[in-house]
Amino acid sequence: MELLKLKELIQGIPKAELHLHIEGSFEPELMFEIAKRNNIKLEYDSVDSLKKAYKFSNLQEFLDIYYIGAQVLLHEQDFYDLTWAYLTKVHSQNVVHVELFFDPQTHTDRGVDFGVVINGIYKALEKGRQELNISYKLIMSYLRHLSEEEAFKTLEASLLYSDWIDGVGLDSSEKGNPPSKFERVFEASAKHGYSLVAHAGEEGPVEYIWEALNLLNVVRIDHGNRCLDDEALIQELIEKNIALTLCPLSNVALKVIHKMEDHPVLTLLEKGVLATIHSDDPAYFGGYMNENYYETARALHLTENHLRQLAINAFEASWLSQAEKDKNISSVNNYFDSYIG
Ligand code: HPA
Ligand code: ZN
């Protein structure tokens, strides 16, 4: 497909974002603005010098900078502005549903109250629902480099706001922090009605994906690239209809793959895995949903049908009701059926 046409096609697809860390949507311009009003001095003296630091050779190098950036977030207004900026940005890309992660411990460990964080995020999400027609789910992630005991404290703190929280996830430094470390807190989270997902097989081995499935009982795997190392696991993912929320630009930026041409999404689609494409930390990795679709399609020569399938898979894998899924999938199909390239 001609590249200009490809861009135009992708722009118009109604899309669902299922793997997005709200702290990872923190654009440098907004970061400097909030730092200034909170009287916090960033280690970098300009937007440009900060952006120059966005060169990572692995997940940890990224996380180190990501946690520094989040330190300027102090007040409800800050979390609101961060979330609202993200929603207006993705609205311009025709994203109609978001399931977003936030990392409470990144903030509560600095003395910022859980309520401050979630009130800001929730108010922006509600405004997005009313004014931009973006439906949403909210996922609280436990930081896996911290202890399970700390995760239990976070679960406890979340209960006051459980009506606003749909699920829990597991993120941060993967290697050396297997899903098994969080078995009990995931079980307790499920008892409180939270749905379960976990990052696994991004940098960590295929065993971590098995653990996420068998010990944590997750309904989706975030990333999961490494599943290609294990044919039995692929069969399990297909049989149980477990989605993999893949993040192509993130994978290139964090050297999970060498180049986009090596991305596993096409192989996984062709095997029949419920693979989806998302943006992870768009302010750090060079793009939001459209850019992820575009760069992947270009490198792997995806067809219109592949793109249609990816868009449908994301609604299929979402936590929307069946009626809402059907409605969104129809609008994806209508869009592709009437598209004249
Ligand atoms: N992996 C693990 N933890 C994260 C990520 C990621 O890509 N982004 C934000 N926290
Ligand atoms: Zn992620």
Side-chain angles (χ1 to χ4, degrees):
M1 203 183 308
E2 195 225 310
L3 293 182
L4 210 62
K5 284 265 183 288
L6 176 63
K7 234 177 213 167
E8 191 186 280
L9 171 70
I10 289 169
Q11 166 63 33
I13 306 172
K15 287 171 289 279
E17 168 75 279
L18 307 181
H19 185 159
L20 179 280
H21 304 265
I22 196 63
E23 295 88 349
S25 72
F26 205 0
E27 291 289 349
E29 290 77 7
L30 182 61
M31 195 183 288
F32 272 88
E33 192 185 314
I34 292 180
K36 191 166 168 215
R37 75 185 187 210
N38 286 345
N39 286 316
I40 293 174
K41 188 148 171 38
L42 283 163
E43 282 175 35
Y44 303 89
D45 55 13
S46 68
V47 165
D48 275 350
S49 69
L50 176 58
K51 281 185 181 166
K52 283 206 182 84
Y54 291 179
K55 288 197 182 70
F56 316 110
S57 30
N58 53 44
L59 173 59
Q60 193 58 52
E61 284 186 17
F62 154 68
L63 290 169
D64 292 343
I65 286 196
Y66 163 88
Y67 293 129
I68 289 173
Q71 285 175 13
V72 308
L73 298 163
L74 296 182
H75 308 294
E76 183 179 312
Q77 186 70 43
D78 305 339
F79 291 94
Y80 177 89
D81 289 348
L82 172 68
T83 310
W84 184 245
Y86 167 72
L87 290 169
T88 52
K89 171 72 190 177
V90 298
H91 181 59
S92 76
Q93 296 200 343
N94 209 19
V95 171
V96 298
H97 178 66
V98 299
E99 301 193 355
L100 62 84
F101 293 115
F102 73 114
D103 288 342
Q105 290 156 295
T106 300
H107 315 297
T108 52
D109 280 5
R110 299 180 288 115
V112 179
D113 191 71
F114 193 105
V116 164
V117 178
I118 197 167
N119 267 301
I121 295 172
Y122 176 75
K123 284 178 187 169
L125 286 169
E126 268 299 299
K127 184 178 158 90
R129 188 179 63 77
Q130 289 162 25
E131 294 181 12
L132 307 175
N133 218 10
I134 298 178
S135 53
Y136 69 86
K137 305 285 174 186
L138 187 54
I139 311 171
M140 149 179 103
S141 268
Y142 300 124
L143 297 182
R144 69 201 303 158
H145 67 275
L146 302 177
S147 68
E148 188 181 45
E149 193 189 337
E150 294 293 332
F152 265 110
K153 284 187 198 151
T154 304
L155 170 59
E156 198 62 39
S158 78
L159 296 178
L160 208 52
Y161 307 95
S162 60
D163 285 353
W164 296 351
I165 301 171
D166 298 281
V168 304
L170 186 65
D171 66 4
S172 192
S173 320
E174 188 182 8
K175 283 186 186 162
N177 295 299
S180 53
K181 182 175 160 187
F182 296 92
E183 194 175 345
R184 288 168 312 157
V185 77
F186 266 64
E187 193 188 345
S189 303
K191 283 200 178 120
H192 286 290
Y194 294 140
S195 299
L196 310 175
V197 295
H199 284 52
E202 178 185 17
E203 280 190 345
V206 76
E207 289 74 26
Y208 285 18
I209 305 178
W210 281 114
E211 285 190 11
L213 294 176
N214 295 337
L215 302 181
L216 303 189
N217 292 310
V218 299
V219 295
R220 296 196 296 247
I221 297 282
D222 296 309
H223 295 294
N225 297 50
R226 295 289 296 275
C227 73
L228 280 173
D229 296 351
D230 185 339
E231 191 54 38
L233 175 58
I234 290 176
Q235 289 316 312
E236 177 85 358
L237 294 171
I238 295 168
E239 249 165 58
K240 299 219 166 119
N241 214 25
I242 302 279
L244 301 184
T245 63
L246 300 160
C247 303
L249 283 171
S250 165
N251 293 158
V252 174
L254 301 186
K255 313 285 190 291
V256 168
I257 54 174
H258 293 299
K259 53 185 190 310
M260 195 58 96
E261 285 74 11
D262 298 336
H263 200 274
V265 65
L266 180 55
T267 310
L268 290 165
L269 276 184
E270 285 175 342
K271 283 178 180 282
V273 174
L274 190 60
T276 63
I277 283 187
H278 307 289
S279 60
D280 213 6
D281 303 280
Y284 293 88
F285 300 150
Y288 289 74
M289 286 289 282
N290 281 358
E291 292 79 15
N292 271 281
Y293 267 74
Y294 177 75
E295 293 302 336
T296 313
R298 203 162 65 116
L300 302 177
H301 307 291
L302 300 184
T303 63
E304 264 186 54
N305 272 340
H306 291 131
L307 295 171
R308 182 197 295 243
Q309 192 64 56
L310 284 168
I312 291 173
N313 284 359
F315 289 110
E316 201 62 69
S318 75
W319 295 340
L320 288 167
S321 69
Q322 193 58 51
E324 292 165 321
K325 286 184 189 186
D326 291 346
K327 184 171 124 293
N328 281 296
I329 291 170
S330 291
S331 74
V332 171
N333 279 324
N334 289 340
Y335 174 70
F336 278 94
D337 290 346
S338 60
Y339 186 79
I340 303 164

